[in-house]
Amino acid sequence: MRVVIAEDNALLREGLVLLLSSVGHEVVAVVGSGPEILPALLEHRPDIAVLDVRMPPLFRDEGLRAALDARRYLPGLPVLVLSQYVEESYAAELLSGGAGGVGYLLKDRVGRVDEFLDALERVAGGGTSLDPEVVTELMTRREDSPLGALTPREREVLQLMAEGHDNTTIARSLVITERSVSKHIGNVFLKLGLPPSDSGHRRVLAVLAYLQHA
């Protein structure tokens, strides 16, 4: 796939280029500051953009803003955002559009090569991949929401859904059958007032949208 990378840390930036190139992806542009991001995305129209949240010149949310702007010009552009810390507001803003192809990972996750590449593929395919720490943060801050009605197992299933895993992976992770996973997911949607017919990454986005505004 064709990738644009926006990262101001030279070591991480070059590491990403080497990693992606080594597994057959084409890095079509590499930028190191916020103002460079949108022009690069519009010029190259990549299959996915990998962006740091905080970029020069102000190190605030330049990468996030560029990602949101790019998705307005290029609807459906898959974006995998990297951040040093769990910043809930950034995850919420990325997901607020209700479209797929969104990922939010902590930079430490890049060092776990298989996990990072799996997230990249999932997001490029229109799915969703949120860092487990981000999901935990979203869930624990809403103890007074209907999440309190979920059983411990349903919460585990919801967390794995939010991370972007499919039913087969969830079943394997929790050592239960896929039929049990489907039953738990149905209960989650019922208790959260969400349509049980939602499937694929849209169901994950629906759950996360609910969590963000609960």
Side-chain angles (χ1 to χ4, degrees):
M1 70 181 74
R2 301 171 68 254
V3 186
V4 166
I5 296 173
E7 168 60 55
D8 66 293
N9 182 301
L11 186 60
L12 178 56
R13 186 171 63 232
E14 292 308 310
L16 285 169
V17 172
L18 288 173
L19 171 61
L20 295 177
S21 299
S22 71
V23 294
H25 300 312
E26 180 186 2
V27 178
V28 295
V30 179
V31 301
S33 69
E36 298 176 90
I37 299 174
L38 185 57
L41 293 175
L42 293 178
E43 176 183 352
H44 295 283
R45 297 176 177 263
D47 298 311
I48 188 169
V50 179
L51 312 175
D52 187 4
V53 168
R54 298 184 177 186
M55 298 280 290
L58 300 178
F59 294 97
R60 291 179 181 170
D61 58 359
E62 289 84 354
L64 174 72
R65 294 293 149 214
L68 294 172
D69 287 344
R71 283 168 71 90
R72 281 192 283 270
Y73 287 105
L74 303 171
L77 171 70
V79 174
L80 178 58
V81 170
L82 305 178
S83 179
Q84 192 69 43
Y85 310 102
V86 176
E87 297 174 280
E88 180 186 343
S89 60
Y90 292 156
E93 192 153 5
L94 269 176
L95 291 162
S96 63
V102 172
Y104 184 104
L105 296 182
L106 296 184
K107 288 188 176 181
D108 288 348
R109 199 71 53 185
V110 177
R112 304 174 189 179
V113 173
D114 290 342
E115 291 183 32
F116 172 72
L117 293 175
D118 179 63
L120 188 81
E121 295 281 353
R122 190 181 302 147
V123 172
T128 304
S129 183
L130 294 191
D131 195 286
E133 289 188 37
V134 175
V135 176
T136 299
E137 190 81 4
L138 286 169
M139 294 180 71
T140 56
R141 290 190 183 187
R142 289 166 172 77
E143 292 295 336
D144 58 343
S145 78
L147 285 174
L150 301 183
T151 66
R153 179 64 84 189
E154 288 164 357
R155 290 175 68 90
E156 288 177 326
V157 169
L158 175 59
Q159 180 156 347
L160 290 169
M161 285 171 60
E163 291 170 22
H165 298 298
D166 59 22
N167 288 14
T168 301
T169 304
I170 293 173
R172 188 184 309 119
S173 297
L174 299 180
V175 196
I176 58 178
T177 66
E178 288 190 47
R179 183 176 179 181
S180 294
V181 171
S182 296
K183 181 178 178 181
H184 288 312
I185 290 173
N187 289 338
V188 167
F189 277 116
L190 181 64
K191 292 179 180 180
L192 297 184
L194 296 170
S197 59
D198 256 343
S199 61
H201 71 269
R202 287 176 296 179
R203 74 182 185 183
V204 180
L205 292 172
V207 171
L208 290 173
Y210 183 89
L211 295 181
Q212 290 157 13
H213 297 100

